[in-house]
Amino acid sequence: MAHIKRVLCLLLMVINDKAFAQQTMPQNRYTDSVLAVIKNLTDQDKKFTGYLDLSLYWSEIDTTKAYHFIDEAKKLLSGRASDFQKGLVHLYTANVIFSHDIERARTAYMHADQLLSAYQNPVSYKYRSKVWNNYGILYQLEDRPEAYMQVIIDKAIPYARLAGDSLAAANGLTNIGLLLTNKLLYDRADRYFDQAIQALQHGEGDKRNLFTAYIYAANAAILGDNLQRGRQYLDQASALSRSMPHSPDIPYYYRTEGRYHRYVKEYDTAKDYLLRAIAFEKTGYDDKAIRDSYYELFQTYRDEGRYTEAKKMLLQANQYDFGVTAADTLLHLREMADINYKLGNHNLAFEQMQRYALAKDSLSRADNTNEILALEKRFETLEKENEILRLQDANQRQRLALDKNRIWIMLSASLGLLASVIAFFLWKLAKEKLQSMTQKERLSQYQTILHVQEEERNRIARDLHDGLGGLLAGIKLRLSALTSRSLSAAPQVEEEEELSLVIGDLNTASDELRRIARNMMPETLLNIGLEHALSDLCKFLNSLRTRILFQGLDLKPAYTGTIMTNVYRIVQELLTNALKHADASQIIVQCSDEKDHLFLTVEDNGKGFDALNLKTGGIGLKSIENRVALLNGRMETDTQPHRGTTISITIPI
């Protein structure tokens, strides 16, 4: 039973294997026992995922069995499927049709991600990482490595880290290394392989993934002529291979060993490894792997100078054409032309070179190396803010930063001038637009204030004409009448009464004059400061109908004339509005100085208003807002019908 459980654990990790390569896994003789274990499970959720993982195992061996296990999993749902379970069904279905119907697989993966996105937890993030990793491999099958790399950076690795899945994150790093290897950027590739290997060594990853990472790292080092480092990776892979002789990655290990021995000119040893790789690969019917091994065998004979045997190996390689990319076809056509030329078949070689040139021109594939580098740089920028798998020490982080700066300098040298010119023009346009908007806003504010000032002048004119003017006219008439009576020797008592009335009118006129002067520019504001001016204003407007209270806190004796005048006018306008419209019994005015800001609050217990449906025809609040804006302040209004109004203003000093 313990052995069966180990096999079950192996099957549950199979889904991670698509992150490396689509190599066919040989049939496992323990799958029947694993199936028996799954059937005996009482936990329906575990049984459900167990069937799905078995479908993944068979997806590259027998699609009929794979679909069968998906159907078994669906039967367990019996109409009670959650979006999470539906998402898993779409994910595993896409894995079955993965290499047979790319468009259907792509649609299924997107449907799976949409359903899983409703669940914000580590388990959901883990499956979404798998969704996006496999979705990216579809781009790789279409020979779109830049799109694949973008999916790894933007989706697969971030979701793996949200899930706390260091193994999946390490696989993502390995994939980046593979893409850089394909672009002949071997030094950069080695850096990502090294990060993945360290994460797998210190994490909980299984030996299979570490074994594969060693092989890929060795291949990149060999192709980059760093044979010593390649040998070190191969030795580490060799040590692991003894514990997994039936691993599906064994043939790739043999092929990489063959390549190493070809580079060091040990041709017989190289051919021995490559023939072992081919024999293993043929048991799994992996056309792509067999083709690659035969092509490596062709290169070995070619480097050895045995061109006839080399041509036979190349012809043999071309028989395995399933999943072949356009780049592979071009490479083989060029090599065939070259080998025929070396064998003296000049006419055939010339014809093949013409076909090669035409095929290359018709393909017109843009070199996406720069795009790959740009994606890598963006990934490194993200990595600077997030420790790679949280297993790197300070020296490794420093090395990553240095490499990032080196890449940045290289990219800046080629694109810096263009970027600077574009940035300059964009900045200039943005600045002009901002200045235009600011000028328009300022103009609107000044126009509103001028309009308010004009209204104020008209009001003062009316006050002088209707109030003070009428009083002075009445006083004049009374004095004239008094003079006439004096001339006619009117009784003393009547003169005294008229004189008392004149004095009363003069007192009233004096009060009216002080009120008008206070509205124009209060004497206290100029002489004894803002706090006393505001307090005096509140006392002056206080009445039996509406009680007005003023509270000042830490106000300075003096501020700039602009601040004092505008703050006074703001409070004056707010109180006027409240007295006219709020029907309040109490108004509280608070003004404080704190941290280089004036904080002003005017609160009443009146009837309030609907701020959303407030008509904009009036100029009261608008003029206050403009005054606040001219002081670079901020104004907030808190009001509801029948619940009073609170206006809070903050002004920087």
Side-chain angles (χ1 to χ4, degrees), residues 108-153:
Y109 282 133
M110 288 299 91
H111 200 175
D113 185 69
Q114 182 181 7
L115 291 168
L116 293 172
S117 64
Y119 300 86
Q120 309 295 321
N121 56 60
V123 177
S124 175
Y125 292 138
K126 181 176 181 178
Y127 281 112
R128 293 184 74 186
S129 175
K130 298 175 189 299
V131 166
W132 282 105
N133 181 78
N134 294 358
Y135 185 89
I137 295 176
L138 295 177
Y139 284 128
Q140 185 73 347
L141 293 177
E142 294 176 332
D143 200 19
R144 295 174 60 189
E146 74 288 347
Y148 181 26
M149 186 167 184
Q150 186 164 0
V151 168
I152 294 172
I153 292 173

Side-chain angles (χ1 to χ4, degrees), residues 11 123 127 141 199 239 259 289-291 297 354 367 375 408 422 425 479 485 502 509 511 513 521 536 575 584 634 647:
L11 292 178
V123 177
Y127 281 112
L141 293 177
R259 177 168 292 163
I290 298 171
R291 179 184 175 91
L297 201 54
Q354 283 185 315
D367 183 7
L375 288 169
W408 172 249
I422 294 174
F425 281 108
L479 289 175
R485 289 174 181 170
V502 169
D511 291 339
L513 182 61
M521 180 55 68
D536 190 42
L575 290 175
R634 187 177 74 254
I647 295 179

Side-chain angles (χ1 to χ4, degrees), residues 369-380:
T369 300
N370 287 336
E371 190 168 356
I372 292 288
L373 283 172
L375 288 169
E376 184 209 2
K377 180 185 177 299
R378 181 161 60 83
F379 179 70
E380 288 183 347

Side-chain angles (χ1 to χ4, degrees), residues 429-441:
L429 288 173
K431 183 179 180 182
E432 290 176 354
K433 185 175 181 180
L434 181 61
Q435 288 177 341
S436 175
M437 292 174 62
T438 303
Q439 289 173 352
K440 288 180 180 178
E441 180 65 22

